[in-house]
């Protein structure tokens, strides 16, 4: 700790920080542009100037940039000194000489950091009356709009995109007053994290193009604290709604998970919520004939169809814990399925079991950045858990930080640390089935079959323990020994694996390596979907087990079974049922096969709890009430539909009237999920007697929204499920319950930088603790166990095996339903290595036909340099579901 003196007042601060960060953490405002908590200091904008004095007697002082000055003990500064204030105002004036006068039409208006800082410095008159510098703008793809004339050359964008996110197609060009930030030529930004430019940029140079299509000001959106549904990482998001449409998704700070950044899948992939073809009212279906019915008619029909019958309930890893529990309560534990295939369920249950093993520690996303050696087994992280891949990129920089520390250079001095480190990186080894997007930071990357990856992983585990490595050739043994030596030499080694290659032995190898390394090692396992880990703890039958039973009716909750099992298997299972009832929020193949469809709420219209791959239980909240804008809509959370059916079937009174009631039932009946009651406060939570406002103070136009229905504004919908209100009437600001913060705003801070006001220290953690409860930290530990390495597969020259190939945008169930994603989804193709392409005598674009079981698939071929011999890359999510366990036959098309 250090004592600094600011304008005559003394404060205790963290002496390892710079003065800007220390003052902001104290709640003292200093304007700044180029500095960012995750990017460090470069001192390029000169906006954070303060006067520093040598001692209390010094009255002259000197101007210093607070972002470049350590918060050393007995530092005396003045923010209010006239020279410092005049200097800061002059800097803003210089920056504004070429900035256009377009705030009224700029999409950044109202949440613009430049606006905030201009007001903060007191600059309110323009003296420049000459021609402004102008630039041509670029087309940067379907996510990001570009308006270079607004640039103030703070360099944040290029530092984030290249240095933090590892992008290579973006840079800074020209010089002096004509400096230009963009691509060498127009074209789609290639980085999977490009969307963060919209929040990193302090002006309106980079804006959200998906929001532009239906634009409104930030203060005219209604928000709710939510969790990204795109993968199992559990990133926190702040979705905004207007007129019953999801308009924009922004990052919601969580100091233990995503911090300031999201991947593009999470930021831009929620457009499916607005689709016109989604079920918004109950429906009776008979093939292509769709009839909309009332809620009462639908419920009466469903109750009659399941009354006294054997009902099979199919849950889903993309549905909330509450909805899955409501389904189980309706059909009974023996008739409830998790909605996962046997293979998928066994894999996620194995992951959950490993995480509960004595001696295994699974770090959160932020902790991953602190590890100094990483081994990735079988995961192409950028495609399966992209936000984790971004954390691994930061871990690669720890070597440079260590070298800088040896030279007494502070970690936050971005450019000196970069120069000292040069190209030095912490060791990262990747064993995957194809070349990954992390190859540029990898010390070594090996492309191998899933079986070989597992065997090499076990070889590393043996070498860590000093045992003999068996069953590998000499090169592989040497490589395994090198990895083992590196991990043992590290202070904090990390092993990352997961389910994406559908091979349990790979995760077992990862667990064995982590166990052999000991207490300092971390292990992180990825799973497929937002609530896969939650269902692993919840339990239930697999789809195959469920379909093997006798049943008369089937209820499917938020699950497209055709994505889980081969079509013939699903069709046979549905044909066994007299009635197929589906609850979902999207038009799917399973919905099309239903007799009755109940219009379920998506994450935007409902509340619920999900569990991330880390085991972090988190709650998402309803953003808006669709019936407020269109009273004919009947969108309800799945658990509400299911409970209404249960009460009708069993002839009992409704006992779940709000979310807290369902959570209480889950806690009382599922011991592994008892801690979910601590995820967030109940609906009775208040701050100074007020509920939490979903809308900013300046929210406007509410009466106009319903003008087509009635010019008189009705009472706002009442949210009985949470401590949030559907209005601006309520509390706005930092609070103890970080899980209930819908958006960030503070007086004078309208931009995303206002998250600074919600943190215990800038860039640290939220006041009152970050959202979520880590379940594995509370569950009993299981005894340590050893795993057995698999035997080598015998190659068959007459057949091939399929290996899953994931794509961040193409593999997701709902990204393909999002219009903004269309241009980012590649054509569905089989991938073939060069050796196999020569053996089959095929070239790029030529079609091949793969027969897997009863399914035949014909797709063009993409020949890639690295793919294991005897394997064909299968585009997950873009081709019919098949079993990947058995060899397949291949025929070359014409």
């Amino acid at each position: 700790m250090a004592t600094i003196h600011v304008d005559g007042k003394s404060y205790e601060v963290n002496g390892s920080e710079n003065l800007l960060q220390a003052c902001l953490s104290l709640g003292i405002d200093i304007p700044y542009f180029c500095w960012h908590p995750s990017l460090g200091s470069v001192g390029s904008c000169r906006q954070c100037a303060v006067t520093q004095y040598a001692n209390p007697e010094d009255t002259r002082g000197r101007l210093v940039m607070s972002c470049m000055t350590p918060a050393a003990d007995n530092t005396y500064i003045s923010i209010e000194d006239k020279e410092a204030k005049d200097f800061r105002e002059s800097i803003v004036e210089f920056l504004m000489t070429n900035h256009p006068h377009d705030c009224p039409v700029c999409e950044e208006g109202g949440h613009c950091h430049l606006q905030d800082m201009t007001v903060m410095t007191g600059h309110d008159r323009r003296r420049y009356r000459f021609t402004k510098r102008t630039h041509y703008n670029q087309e940067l793809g379907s996510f990001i709009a570009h308006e270079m004339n607004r640039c103030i050359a703070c360099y944040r964008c290029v530092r984030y995109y290249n240095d933090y996110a590892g992008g290579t197609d973006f840079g800074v060009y020209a010089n002096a007053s004509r400096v230009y930030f963009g691509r060498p030529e127009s074209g789609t930004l290639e980085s999977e994290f490009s969307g963060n430019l919209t929040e990193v940029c302090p002006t309106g140079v980079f804006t959200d193009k998906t929001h532009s299509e239906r634009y409104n000001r930030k203060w005219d959106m209604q928000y709710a604290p939510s969790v990204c549904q795109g993968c199992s990482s559990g990133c926190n998001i702040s979705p905004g709604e207007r007129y019953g449409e999801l308009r924009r998704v922004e990052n919601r700070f969580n100091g233990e998970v995503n911090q300031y950044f999201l991947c593009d899948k999470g930021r831009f992939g929620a457009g499916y919520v607005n689709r016109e073809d989604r079920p918004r009212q109950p429906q009776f279906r008979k093939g292509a004939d769709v009839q909309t019915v009332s809620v009462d008619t639908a419920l009466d029909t469903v109750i009659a169809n399941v009354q006294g019958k054997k009902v099979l309930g199919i849950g889903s890893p993309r549905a909330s814990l509450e909805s899955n529990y409501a389904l189980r309560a309706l059909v009974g534990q023996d008739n409830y399925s998790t909605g996962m295939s046997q293979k998928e369920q066994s894999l996620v249950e194995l992951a959950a079991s490993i995480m509960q093993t004595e001696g295994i520690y699974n770090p959160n996303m932020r902790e991953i950045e602190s590890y100094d050696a990483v081994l990735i087994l079988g995961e192409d992280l950028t495609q399966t858990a992209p936000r984790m891949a971004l954390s691994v990129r930061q871990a690669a920089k720890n070597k440079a930080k260590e070298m800088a520390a040896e030279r007494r250079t502070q970690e936050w001095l971005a450019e000196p640390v970069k120069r000292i480190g040069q190209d030095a990186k912490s060791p990262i080894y990747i064993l995957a089935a194809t070349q990954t997007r992390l190859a540029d930071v990898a010390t070594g990357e090996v492309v191998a079959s899933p079986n070989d990856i597992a065997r090499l992983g076990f070889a590393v585990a043996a070498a860590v323990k000093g045992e003999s490595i068996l069953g590998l050739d000499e090169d592989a043994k040497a490589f395994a020994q090198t990895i083992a030596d590196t991990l043992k030499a590290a202070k904090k080694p990390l092993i990352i694996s997961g389910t994406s290659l559908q091979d349990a032995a790979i995760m077992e190898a990862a667990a064995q390596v982590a166990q052999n390394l000991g207490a300092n090692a971390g292990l992180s396992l990825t799973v497929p979907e937002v609530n896969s880990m939650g269902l692993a703890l919840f339990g239930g039958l697999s789809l195959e087990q469920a379909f093997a039973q006798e049943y008369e009716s089937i209820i499917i909750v938020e699950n497209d079974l055709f994505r889980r099992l081969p079509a013939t298997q699903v069709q046979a299972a549905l044909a066994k049922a007299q009635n197929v009832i589906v609850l979902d929020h999207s038009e799917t193949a399973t919905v099309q096969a239903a007799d009755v469809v109940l219009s379920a709420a998506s994450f935007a219209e409902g509340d619920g709890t999900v569990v991330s791959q880390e085991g972090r239980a988190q709650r998402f909240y309803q953003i808006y009430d669709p019936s407020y804008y269109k009273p004919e809509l009947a969108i309800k959370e799945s658990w509400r539909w299911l409970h209404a059916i249960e009460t009708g079937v069993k002839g009992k009174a409704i006992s779940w009237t709000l979310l807290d009631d369902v959570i209480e039932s889950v806690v009382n009946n599922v011991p592994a999920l008892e801690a979910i009651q601590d995820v967030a406060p109940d609906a009775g939570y208040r701050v100074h007697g007020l509920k939490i406002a979903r809308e900013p103070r300046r929210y406007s136009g509410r009466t106009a929204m319903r003008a087509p229905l009635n010019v008189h504004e009705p009472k706002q919908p009442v949210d009985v499920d949470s401590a949030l209100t559907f209005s601006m009437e309520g509390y706005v600001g930092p609070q103890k319950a970080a899980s209930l913060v819908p958006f960030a705003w503070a007086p004078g801070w309208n931009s995303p930088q206002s998250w600074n006001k919600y943190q215990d220290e800038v860039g640290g953690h939220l006041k009152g603790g970050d959202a979520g409860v880590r379940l594995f930290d509370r569950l009993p530990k299981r005894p340590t166990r050893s795993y057995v390495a698999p035997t080598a597969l015998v190659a068959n020259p007459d057949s091939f095996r399929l290996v899953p190939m994931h794509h961040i945008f193409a593999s997701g169930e709902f990204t393909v339903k999002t219009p903004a994603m269309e241009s980012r989804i590649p054509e569905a193709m089989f991938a073939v290595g060069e050796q196999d392409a020569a053996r089959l005598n095929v070239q790029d674009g030529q079609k091949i036909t793969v027969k897997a079981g009863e399914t035949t698939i014909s797709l063009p071929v993409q020949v890639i340099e690295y793919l294991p011999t005897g394997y064909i890359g299968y585009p997950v999510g873009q081709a019919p579901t098949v079993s990947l366990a058995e060899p397949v036959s291949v025929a070359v098309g014409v």
Side-chain angles (χ1 to χ4, degrees):
M1 299 297 289
T3 300
I4 63 171
H5 309 274
V6 183
D7 288 312
K9 295 182 180 179
S10 299
Y11 302 93
E12 289 287 325
V13 299
N14 185 345
S16 64
E17 296 174 350
N18 57 59
L19 284 173
L20 173 60
Q21 186 169 1
C23 289
L24 291 173
S25 296
L26 292 168
I28 301 171
D29 291 343
I30 300 178
Y32 64 91
F33 288 118
C34 67
W35 180 80
H36 186 282
S38 293
L39 305 180
S41 305
V42 291
S44 67
C45 72
R46 324 304 290 169
Q47 184 60 67
C48 64
V50 297
T51 302
Q52 182 178 12
Y53 301 98
N55 50 56
E57 289 73 38
D58 183 5
T59 56
R60 183 174 180 181
R62 63 190 180 99
L63 286 178
V64 298
M65 301 307 120
S66 58
C67 75
M68 300 295 288
T69 307
D73 196 30
N74 282 326
T75 298
Y76 292 83
I77 62 170
S78 172
I79 300 170
E80 299 301 321
D81 178 63
K82 186 177 186 307
E83 183 182 14
K85 291 176 68 175
D86 290 346
F87 181 85
R88 294 196 296 267
E89 185 177 346
S90 70
I91 290 297
V92 166
E93 185 173 22
F94 286 136
L95 293 176
M96 296 295 285
T97 54
N98 285 308
H99 193 82
H101 300 197
D102 68 342
C103 291
V105 298
C106 175
E107 292 188 16
E108 196 77 1
H111 64 153
C112 174
H113 187 61
L114 176 60
Q115 286 180 330
D116 290 346
M117 298 301 98
T118 302
V119 172
M120 191 177 293
T121 57
H123 172 64
D124 59 1
R125 295 289 185 278
R126 291 181 184 266
R127 295 185 292 172
Y128 184 76
R129 294 291 182 269
F130 307 99
T131 302
K132 290 180 179 286
R133 170 217 64 206
T134 57
H135 290 292
Y136 288 107
N137 301 320
Q138 291 183 320
E139 172 57 45
L140 298 179
S142 60
F143 296 159
I144 305 292
H146 189 228
E147 177 50 80
M148 254 307 295
N149 293 322
R150 298 172 183 150
C151 181
I152 60 171
C154 70
Y155 285 82
R156 264 197 196 182
C157 59
V158 71
R159 290 173 57 219
Y160 161 74
Y161 194 92
N162 294 350
D163 298 344
Y164 193 92
T168 57
D169 62 319
F170 183 91
V172 54
Y173 307 98
N175 59 13
S177 64
R178 299 201 62 82
V179 68
Y180 189 93
F181 297 87
R183 287 171 52 87
E185 57 185 17
S186 290
T188 300
L189 288 167
E190 296 172 2
S191 173
E192 294 83 359
F193 309 98
S194 63
N196 293 308
L197 290 172
T198 63
E199 294 187 28
V200 167
C201 176
T203 72
V205 176
F206 302 100
T207 53
D208 185 337
K209 192 178 282 188
T210 65
H211 185 205
S212 304
E213 296 168 1
R214 298 279 287 167
Y215 181 75
N216 55 271
R217 293 297 182 195
K218 177 181 179 177
W219 63 74
D220 279 336
M221 280 192 284
Q222 184 166 239
Y223 302 88
S226 195
V227 179
C228 177
Q229 308 288 301
C231 73
S232 64
S233 295
C235 296
N236 288 199
I237 57 173
S238 183
E241 167 270 343
R242 180 79 169 175
Y243 283 100
E245 296 176 339
L246 192 60
R247 292 288 177 86
R248 184 175 184 179
V249 173
E250 294 180 277
N251 184 74
R252 187 165 71 97
F253 185 87
N254 186 314
E256 293 186 351
V257 188
N258 48 295
Q259 300 176 75
Y260 291 97
F261 305 119
L262 298 172
C263 75
D264 288 353
K265 181 180 183 179
R267 187 180 293 275
F268 302 114
Y272 65 90
V273 172
N274 299 330
R275 288 182 68 100
E276 290 297 324
D277 64 355
R278 58 172 289 198
R280 285 186 165 87
Q281 294 167 280
Q283 300 170 345
F284 289 166
R285 290 190 175 228
K286 191 172 184 179
D289 182 25
V290 180
Q291 177 189 357
T292 298
V293 297
S294 69
V295 170
D296 289 341
T297 301
L299 285 175
D300 290 344
T301 302
V302 171
I303 291 168
N305 287 344
V306 302
Q307 188 94 45
K309 293 181 180 178
K310 177 75 178 291
V311 183
L312 181 63
I314 307 293
S316 172
R318 64 171 165 90
S320 68
L321 289 173
E322 291 83 357
S323 293
N324 278 283
Y325 179 80
L327 177 62
R328 196 179 83 174
L330 169 61
V331 303
Q333 187 163 351
D334 294 339
N335 302 316
Y336 165 79
S337 167
T338 61
M340 294 184 278
S341 69
Q342 181 67 55
K343 184 70 173 177
E344 181 181 346
Q345 182 162 329
S346 64
L347 288 168
V348 295
E349 286 178 346
L350 173 62
S353 175
I354 289 172
M355 286 307 169
Q356 296 173 69
T357 302
E358 189 71 44
I360 293 291
Y361 176 73
N362 63 319
N364 61 47
M365 206 100 71
R366 184 175 193 150
E367 286 179 295
I368 287 174
E369 299 180 4
S370 67
Y371 284 83
D372 58 350
V374 181
L375 171 61
I376 302 174
L377 282 175
E379 287 296 308
D380 185 355
L381 282 182
T382 310
Q383 313 306 328
T384 61
R387 185 58 186 82
M388 187 184 293
L390 195 59
S391 292
V392 170
R393 283 195 174 276
Q394 311 324 307
K397 300 171 185 173
N398 287 327
K399 179 64 176 176
K401 293 176 182 177
E402 182 183 334
M403 295 168 65
E406 291 171 355
R407 291 161 176 78
R408 299 182 181 276
T409 300
Q410 290 93 339
E411 185 179 309
W412 44 265
L413 287 167
E415 286 304 309
V417 171
K418 187 177 177 181
R419 286 197 300 271
I420 291 169
Q422 294 295 319
D423 294 325
K425 294 181 178 68
S426 295
I428 295 175
Y429 289 95
I430 303 173
L431 312 182
T434 185
Q435 194 169 23
T436 73
R437 299 275 283 179
L438 287 174
D440 58 309
V441 295
T443 308
E445 183 177 52
V446 169
V447 175
S449 69
N451 177 258
D452 287 340
I453 291 170
R455 291 170 60 233
L456 193 51
F458 275 105
V460 172
V464 166
K465 209 170 180 180
E467 298 174 349
S468 299
I469 301 174
L470 304 175
L472 298 179
D473 59 34
E474 292 306 316
D475 287 346
K477 287 181 181 178
F479 187 61
Q481 188 64 56
T482 299
I483 296 174
D485 292 341
T486 303
L487 294 175
K488 286 196 293 183
K491 296 175 183 175
K492 288 182 67 178
L494 173 67
I495 318 301
I496 298 175
S497 188
T499 64
S500 70
L501 292 184
Q502 300 186 20
D503 192 323
I506 295 176
M507 287 196 291
E508 291 175 346
Q512 193 68 67
V513 175
Q515 285 180 180
N516 291 357
L517 284 168
N520 292 333
L523 175 66
S524 186
L525 300 176
T526 69
V527 292
E529 297 186 62
V530 62
N531 203 20
S532 292
M533 195 63 84
L535 285 204
L537 296 173
F538 186 69
L541 304 173
S542 69
L543 283 175
E544 289 92 333
Q545 290 172 326
F547 290 154
Q549 297 189 154
E550 294 299 322
Y551 51 89
E552 297 168 277
S553 294
I554 185 169
I555 299 177
I556 304 166
V557 175
E558 299 178 43
N559 200 336
D560 185 3
L561 303 185
F562 291 90
R563 291 179 61 90
R564 309 282 177 185
L565 294 175
T568 53
Q569 199 171 342
V570 175
Q571 289 163 354
L574 298 182
K576 284 174 60 178
Q578 299 169 14
N579 302 285
V580 177
I581 300 133
V582 177
L583 292 75
D584 214 333
H585 51 71
S586 292
E587 185 78 3
T588 68
T590 304
V591 166
Q592 292 168 2
D595 299 312
V596 181
V597 177
L598 300 180
S599 42
S602 69
F603 77 95
E605 300 114 359
D607 312 284
T609 308
V610 292
V611 182
S612 71
Q613 57 83 24
E614 177 199 340
R616 181 180 295 271
Q618 300 183 100
R619 196 152 297 142
F620 61 88
Y621 289 97
Q622 184 178 2
I623 303 163
Y624 62 98
D625 181 355
S627 62
Y628 178 75
Y629 306 99
K630 295 181 179 179
E632 70 274 14
L633 299 187
I635 296 175
K636 304 178 187 299
E637 293 104 326
S638 293
W639 64 263
R640 289 190 189 276
W641 284 115
L642 294 165
H643 186 60
I645 296 168
E646 183 193 4
T647 55
V649 169
K650 298 179 180 178
K652 64 178 188 178
I654 288 177
S655 56
W656 294 347
T657 56
L658 50 136
L659 184 68
D660 290 340
D661 297 333
V662 198
I663 294 171
E664 183 181 359
S665 293
V666 175
V667 168
N668 291 336
N669 292 283
V670 188
L673 299 176
E674 183 180 353
I676 71 167
Q677 63 188 329
D678 300 327
V679 167
D682 61 24
Y685 176 80
R686 299 291 185 273
V687 178
H688 306 308
L690 300 173
K691 296 186 83 172
I692 312 301
R694 281 180 170 91
E695 299 168 358
R697 291 277 188 255
R698 292 180 289 173
Y699 194 93
S700 62
R702 209 156 60 191
T703 304
M705 289 180 177
R706 285 177 50 93
L709 302 176
N710 194 320
V711 294
H712 301 288
E713 182 183 358
K715 180 182 178 181
Q716 285 292 106
V718 177
D719 186 358
V720 298
D721 289 323
S722 75
L724 300 160
T725 66
F726 290 109
S727 73
M728 70 180 82
E729 290 81 24
Y731 177 80
V732 175
Q735 49 169 305
K736 290 181 180 178
S739 56
L740 288 176
V741 176
F743 58 89
W745 175 88
W749 296 81
N750 299 282
S751 77
Q753 307 306 311
S754 53
W755 282 111
N756 295 347
K757 298 295 184 180
Y758 289 71
Q759 298 163 350
D760 52 7
E761 61 177 16
V762 175
H765 301 272
L766 292 175
K767 295 176 180 176
D770 296 307
V773 172
R774 283 169 52 95
L775 300 183
F776 293 133
D777 291 349
R778 300 195 182 191
L779 293 173
K781 292 298 181 182
R782 301 179 179 181
T784 301
R785 58 191 185 277
S786 296
Y787 304 93
V788 179
T791 57
L793 289 177
V794 178
N796 184 348
D798 298 324
S799 66
F800 288 82
R801 290 182 179 272
L802 297 178
V803 62
M805 302 282 282
H806 297 266
H807 189 280
I808 180 175
F809 303 129
S811 297
E813 182 175 356
F814 296 116
T815 47
V816 296
K817 296 177 180 288
T818 298
M821 293 287 177
E822 291 176 359
S823 63
R824 302 299 302 272
I825 297 175
E827 181 185 0
M829 305 181 87
F830 286 124
V832 177
E834 289 182 343
Q835 288 183 324
D836 285 328
R839 180 165 66 128
L840 292 170
N841 194 24
V842 295
Q843 298 176 345
D844 274 334
Q846 190 173 353
K847 275 196 172 183
I848 64 172
T849 300
V850 169
K851 190 172 191 318
E854 298 179 14
T855 306
T856 301
I857 310 164
S858 293
L859 291 175
V861 160
Q862 179 186 16
V863 180
I864 62 178
E865 185 178 1
Y866 301 107
L867 199 69
T869 303
Y871 283 81
I872 293 176
Y874 178 80
V876 174
Q878 292 186 282
T881 303
V882 297
S883 171
L884 304 181
E886 301 301 324
V888 299
S889 61
V890 178
V892 180
V894 178

